[in-house]
Amino acid sequence: MPARVIDGKSFAADLRQQIAKNVVELKTEHGITPGLAVVLVGDDPASQVYVRNKGAQTVEAGMMSFEHRLPADTTQDQLMTLIGQLNADPGVHGILVQLPLPRHLDADLVINAIEPIKDVDGFTVQNVGRLATGQTSLVACTPLGCLMLLRHQLGDLSGLHAVIVGRSNIVGKPMAQLLLSDNATVTIAHSRTKNLRDVCGGADILVAAVGRPRMIPGDWIKPGATVIDVGINRVSDGAKSRLVGDVDFDTAIEVAGAITPVPGGVGPMTIACLLANTLVACRRANGLPDAAP
Ligand code: NDP
């Protein structure tokens, strides 16, 4: 029987609706409106699309959206000054700096200048460290979205063997921490991993975050496994181009128990989780407990 296709698009739409309800409550009960500031430096076309989508969905959820579009020749000092201003602004509860930054800017310095309680991307060393040590943190949006889909699909993840292919700071590593804290047994694979096929074949949960089109074929997948495909790769398809994941969907669907499609799987969860993090950051800044979105 072919795998169940995990509909991230509809899951994300439900999540955004729930967040919007919470935002209304926050306004009526406490007179607070969450605010998200997005900083874009330069004119990278893909980044411009992401920032536009983030702004539109922030407003749709009833939050304030503050967009700061800076020219490509913005200096490190100018950017750090802006981050300082956003840190001090009580109307801004979340700050996101769109990556990649132009080469002359030090992204680590900029990201770590963000107040950890406003770091809705979960990229500061403080939040990464807090996640790794099991303390309350803001968690990177893409792995958080993957975890939500996995919990929804599988319920309790205890004792399941999760294999994550990819060890980036923004996906692979935080994904491993999240699965570990949900009591999965976690293996992280990367470009130096030997016998990747066998490693993948042992996974009850397989998370692919590599950036190589259709790298993982169906015959690497354990029958019945749950497959989360984070990869977004543009490939040419005749005269047109289209998006594919890191997993070969057509063969994987014949073997897996459940699988996320690309597009329409993990992608929509990322922005929904950004909004969820902004809501959480706003509630914490105002001394309110986290509300389950
Ligand atoms: P990175 O390039 O930062 O990391 C890729 C990882 O894959 C590295 O750890 C690398 O290993 C590993 N890798 C590369 N080649 C191989 C190989 N042949 N075998 C095993 N491992 C390999 O990518 P990101 O984590 O930023 O992104 C991964 C994918 O996810 C991309 O397609 C990206 O577009 C997508 N993405 C999607 C998001 C969404 O919202 N859905 C959000 C973020 C990313 P090593 O460390 O050894 O180099």
Side-chain angles (χ1 to χ4, degrees):
M1 209 169 70
R4 176 165 180 254
V5 177
I6 300 172
D7 187 350
K9 199 171 164 187
S10 107
F11 193 100
D14 291 348
L15 181 58
R16 290 199 308 272
Q17 219 172 36
Q18 198 53 50
I19 292 166
K21 266 193 211 158
N22 284 335
V23 170
V24 171
E25 271 171 35
L26 203 53
K27 274 185 205 170
T28 45
E29 287 173 20
H30 302 279
I32 305 163
T33 303
L36 172 65
V38 176
V39 179
L40 172 64
V41 185
D43 39 27
D44 176 64
S47 293
Q48 284 184 338
V49 173
Y50 292 141
V51 166
R52 206 168 37 242
N53 287 343
K54 284 169 188 167
Q57 292 191 29
T58 304
V59 171
E60 230 172 81
M63 302 186 188
M64 298 294 292
S65 166
F66 308 104
E67 275 182 29
H68 295 267
R69 291 169 182 266
L70 307 180
D73 61 357
T74 298
T75 65
Q76 186 84 30
D77 280 353
Q78 286 168 328
L79 190 50
M80 297 298 267
T81 301
L82 174 61
I83 300 295
Q85 286 164 353
L86 297 175
N87 281 338
D89 185 340
V92 171
H93 304 100
I95 303 170
L96 178 148
V97 176
Q98 184 66 45
L99 300 176
L101 287 172
R103 281 210 192 135
H104 67 282
L105 296 170
D106 182 336
D108 279 343
L109 216 59
V110 174
I111 296 300
N112 284 298
I114 298 172
E115 277 293 339
I117 57 160
K118 296 191 177 190
D119 167 31
V120 283
D121 249 344
F123 289 168
T124 58
V125 166
Q126 273 240 22
N127 275 317
V128 172
R130 293 181 72 87
L131 174 65
T133 52
Q135 299 175 67
T136 306
S137 60
L138 286 166
V139 177
C141 302
T142 300
L144 183 60
C146 295
L147 184 73
M148 286 182 187
L149 295 177
L150 282 167
R151 283 180 177 165
H152 181 71
Q153 176 63 30
L154 295 168
D156 185 9
L157 308 184
S158 293
L160 295 179
H161 185 199
V163 173
I164 302 154
V165 189
R167 57 174 165 180
S168 71
N169 289 337
I170 64 168
V171 189
K173 285 179 192 159
M175 186 77 249
Q177 295 294 353
L178 288 173
L179 287 166
L180 210 50
S181 52
D182 263 30
N183 300 314
T185 302
V186 178
T187 301
I188 308 176
H190 46 79
S191 67
R192 311 289 176 90
T193 297
K194 293 198 172 114
N195 303 322
L196 186 58
R197 177 193 182 130
D198 294 344
V199 174
C200 291
D204 304 306
I205 295 169
L206 181 63
V207 180
V210 181
R212 287 176 170 244
R214 303 188 192 102
M215 190 191 104
I216 299 174
D219 61 4
W220 288 22
I221 294 169
K222 180 174 170 176
T226 301
V227 178
I228 303 289
D229 192 351
V230 182
I232 301 177
N233 309 290
R234 189 163 286 285
V235 294
S236 56
D237 187 6
K240 291 189 191 150
S241 74
R242 66 185 185 110
L243 296 180
V244 299
D246 292 339
V247 175
D248 181 33
F249 187 83
D250 293 345
T251 54
I253 197 170
E254 299 299 333
V255 186
I259 184 168
T260 57
V262 178
V266 174
M269 291 299 292
T270 299
I271 299 187
C273 287
L274 173 67
L275 302 179
N277 276 351
T278 305
L279 178 66
V280 165
C282 175
R283 293 185 66 91
R284 289 180 188 167
N286 287 282
L288 298 168
D290 294 357

